Amino acid sequence: MAHDSGSRSFDLKAMLRDERFWKIAFQVITLLVVLLLLSFFLGNLNRNLIQQGRAFGFSFLRNPAGFSIGESLIQYRPNDPYWRALMVGLGNTLTLVVGGIVLTTLLGVVAGVASFSKNWLLQKLSRVYVGLVQNIPLLLQLFFWYFAIFGALPNPANQIGILGLAFLNNRGVYIPWASSALLAILGIAATVGAAIAALFLWRWRTKIRIETGVGGQAQSIALAVVALAWLAIITLGMNWTVPEGVEGGGVTGGLRLSREYVASLTALVFYTSAFVAEIVRAGIQSVSKGQWEAARTLGLNAGMVMRLVVFPQALRVIIPPMNSQYMNLTKNSSLAFAIAFPEIYSIATTTYNQTGRPVEVFVVMMATYLTLCLLITVVMNQFNRSVQFKER
Amino acid sequence: MTSVTPDSLSSAPPEILALGPVAWAKKNLFSDWFNSLLTVVIVGILGWGIFRLASWALTVAQWQVIPNNFGLFMTGTFPSGLYARIWALLAVVCGLAGLSWGVLGRNVSTLFSRSVLIGLGLVCAFIVLFPPTRPSSLKLLPMVALVAIAAAAGRQVGRKFPGIGKWVSLAWFLSYFVALWLIGGGLGLTPVSTNDWGGLVLTLFTAVSGIVLCFPLGLLLALGRRSALPVVRLLSTVYIELVRGVPLVAFLFMGQVMIPLFLPIGSRPDRILRAVIALALFSAAYLAENVRAGLQAVPRGQREAAMSLGLNTPTTLGLIILPQALKIAIPAIVGQFISLFQDTTLLSIVGLAELLGIGKSILANPAYLGRYAEVYLFLAVIYWFFCYAMSLASRKIEEKLNTEH
């Protein structure tokens, strides 16, 4: 009885030997240290801010910004509030990111597939491109494109015309575009819609042909109709305006892509594509050799082997790392501020310089980029689910 | 069942082994019409591009900007009277590099094989012939000799004392503080303000400091994220995910502006220190993810076996799990170091005169107005050289550590 009560009473030695105690103690200590550090930092922050006479708060976002912005998707005047200026920056970031993602995917996949080309020159070209671009800092490349390439284009008086459809000069690139923003949105929506419809029709047609062995004509006709409708909308419905060179230099009409935008986009696309090319290459390499050989034995030619057999299997390996490349592209788009492209980071620093509110500005910036990255992750996860093997 | 008759064997055409350049071109460049078209188009574009580049480089470009500012590119506004200290630093690094090479290669039959000798010869030729290095090439050649001599010595010492490896690592660690002392002064040397640190020296210094600081932090975060303790796991995960969602420029901006706000009123750490801290805090989150991938690749049985042998958690991690995990993660970790090295360019945005920053300030000099292409191409060559060397080294290490058969 005495022995029993002794083992139940508090025994320090036994407790110190017990791993469960240490697990809990370690967590408590970690939490305490983190909390202490946080309270130290936040306390200092609070004292510093009070000393500078700026209590934490976001109400300053409603004050007039008072600076002008070079390019914007939405209406903006200098006496608009800060939050509207930040929206302009967000819009510019989005144009950069969306354009960047589309072009990066295209160039990266082409460069990745090219490293398997039978053509020796193309294969080496792809390898040299990746080895060169991956090892040079993005910011340096950005400066190079902006100052040394696009900055070296002739001035508007001697601008370069391309077939009378587009113009290049040191102020930017001029391309044909819909005459109003609404029509441009319509055109983009029609393109996306047609692509989705075509994808579904194609899958339906394949399914019918696999299950019945014949048929699919109706779907083929529907596909053609979709294509024709899209062509009609794009060519006739958008009321294209073509840029025209003006006597003595300059351009009217069309869409002007500023030199800052074009240089940022080019640098981002060339840099990120090199990483995408490596991902695509690794993905294709992960498909076992037997798949290539089996497909060739069935009589498919090299292009069809890649398109129908190897690439769809490689996608399983390619999609997950692509997510982080898209996120990198999004975050790297903030570098465009170094060449004065008014994206969100640039607007945020201007806001900070004018209001002297680093904490609030940092919170806004962090929230914006986290949201963008989260959006990309959600979309890519959906896409990833659709290309993975369906097991049972 | 399927039998091959001798007749069918003999009637099969023998494989033609054509090795001439014409046959090679026919196979690799002109195998069919599409391939031929591709070749013609690529040759056309490449030829035009190379011709334009060469004619620009030889006629239009004014390369004078590079040799005239070579000192600035290498050391920034470091006082030229104290250049001897930078040379001493270079000598220390060269000596240690040679020593490590010798110790690592102690079991190789010949340290100076033909390809290595050719490489050293090329380096010497480059130093002698490359115009910007002219005034200092007399000091650079002994550095190459120093590497070779240290390598030979390291080999001898390494053979005699096989355990010398950890002392070399310790020497590398101590050399970091020697570098700090030689650049910054103090303890008997004339102090140099951090405002005068710059150029390639600052780039390398910030990159190395960032790597040294971010490695232990990244390791801890990775272990924390894989930990069975919920509080530790949550804290690590939140840190990693928050940092990975924010661009580095924003983080550096925070480092410059907000670190003083987080500290007691009036304390303001040096701006290079602030930049290095921000760089390390940022990279640690990415490094943690790379290490975590390595940790995940170690089979569960390893941990269970270690536990059943009676090892406790720290020894299991330190002796069993981490060595295997880090070996798997080496390519990714080196990749992260390469991107950290490239990320030092962003310090030019927050006003440090590292390599890209000094390039910008040279371009702002009216005497070199518009020499963008020359300066940026020169900088690109430097960055490319260092990054490529790192990726090459990582490939070598990977081959060496690959014990699978």
Side-chain angles (χ1 to χ4, degrees), chain B residues 179-323:
Chain B
L180 201 59
W181 176 56
L182 284 172
I183 300 174
L187 294 179
L189 294 179
T190 329
V192 176
S193 147
T194 50
N195 290 332
D196 289 331
W197 299 19
L200 183 61
V201 172
L202 182 61
T203 294
L204 293 176
F205 178 77
T206 45
V208 170
S209 310
I211 289 170
V212 169
L213 280 176
C214 87
F215 190 73
L217 194 60
L219 208 60
L220 284 182
L221 283 170
L223 290 175
R225 197 170 182 176
R226 290 276 294 164
S227 163
L229 312 175
V231 172
V232 179
R233 194 170 57 227
L234 183 75
L235 287 174
S236 310
T237 311
V238 166
Y239 178 84
I240 291 172
E241 291 306 329
L242 277 187
V243 171
R244 272 162 37 95
V246 179
L248 177 58
V249 247
F251 221 77
L252 286 173
F253 160 81
M254 191 207 75
Q256 292 299 311
V257 180
M258 280 163 66
I259 285 181
L261 287 181
F262 280 131
L263 295 176
I265 294 175
S267 63
R268 206 174 164 76
D270 186 80
R271 60 191 188 131
I272 291 184
L273 182 64
R274 271 179 282 158
V276 166
I277 289 176
L279 204 59
L281 287 177
F282 179 80
S283 291
Y286 287 81
L287 194 75
E289 287 299 90
N290 294 333
V291 176
R292 183 167 77 113
L295 287 172
Q296 273 171 350
V298 177
R300 229 184 151 73
Q302 294 288 328
R303 187 191 188 90
E304 286 158 2
M307 288 297 201
S308 65
L309 283 176
L311 300 184
N312 58 17
T313 309
T315 41
T316 306
L317 280 178
L319 298 176
I320 310 293
I321 308 290
L322 272 183

Side-chain angles (χ1 to χ4, degrees), chain A residues 319 375-388:
Chain A
I319 299 294
L375 273 178
I376 291 174
T377 307
V378 168
V379 172
M380 289 301 281
N381 279 350
Q382 282 301 323
F383 190 47
N384 189 22
R385 214 164 291 153
S386 72
V387 296
Q388 292 303 330

Side-chain angles (χ1 to χ4, degrees), chain A residues 19 23 26-27 30-31 34 40-42 44-45 47-49 51-52 117-122 125 131-132 134-140 143-144 147-148 271 327-328 331-332 334-335 337-338 345 349 352 358-359 361-362 365-366 369-370 373, chain B residues 24 27-29 31-32 35 38-39 42-43 46 229-232 235 241-242 244-247 249-251 253-254 257-258 260-266 286 313 338 342 345-346 348-349 356 360 372-373 376-377 379-380 383-384 387-388 391:
Chain A
E19 203 169 313
K23 276 183 177 164
F26 184 68
Q27 295 190 63
T30 316
L31 199 63
V34 170
F40 172 70
F41 287 140
L42 293 181
N44 282 330
L45 180 68
R47 277 190 288 281
N48 275 309
L49 287 182
Q51 197 204 23
Q52 295 172 6
S117 166
K118 271 196 304 180
N119 189 311
W120 181 84
L121 211 53
L122 188 63
L125 194 68
L132 202 64
Q134 272 193 342
N135 287 320
I136 297 173
L138 174 59
L139 190 61
L140 180 56
F143 284 156
F144 187 77
F147 291 111
Y271 185 73
M327 271 159 60
N328 280 349
K331 285 177 282 173
N332 284 338
S334 60
L335 291 187
F337 116 98
Y345 178 79
T349 35
Y352 158 68
V359 187
V361 167
F362 188 72
M365 219 149 41
M366 198 155 153
Y369 282 107
L370 279 176
C373 288
Chain B
W24 179 88
K27 179 166 177 282
N28 291 301
L29 298 177
S31 60
D32 52 32
N35 218 340
L38 220 53
T39 305
I42 294 175
V43 167
L46 264 188
L229 312 175
V231 172
V232 179
L235 287 174
E241 291 306 329
L242 277 187
R244 272 162 37 95
V246 179
V249 247
F251 221 77
F253 160 81
M254 191 207 75
V257 180
M258 280 163 66
L261 287 181
F262 280 131
L263 295 176
I265 294 175
Y286 287 81
T313 309
I338 291 176
Q342 295 189 1
T345 51
L346 301 197
S348 67
I349 290 178
L356 189 60
K360 266 166 82 181
Y372 296 111
Y376 289 142
L377 278 178
L379 296 184
Y383 280 110
W384 184 85
C387 295
Y388 190 73
S391 62

Side-chain angles (χ1 to χ4, degrees), chain A residues 104-105 109 276 279-280 317-327 376 380:
Chain A
T104 297
T105 312
V109 169
V276 172
I279 290 171
V280 169
V317 185
I318 291 172
I319 299 294
M322 286 293 266
N323 184 12
S324 72
Q325 286 310 320
Y326 290 157
M327 271 159 60
I376 291 174
M380 289 301 281

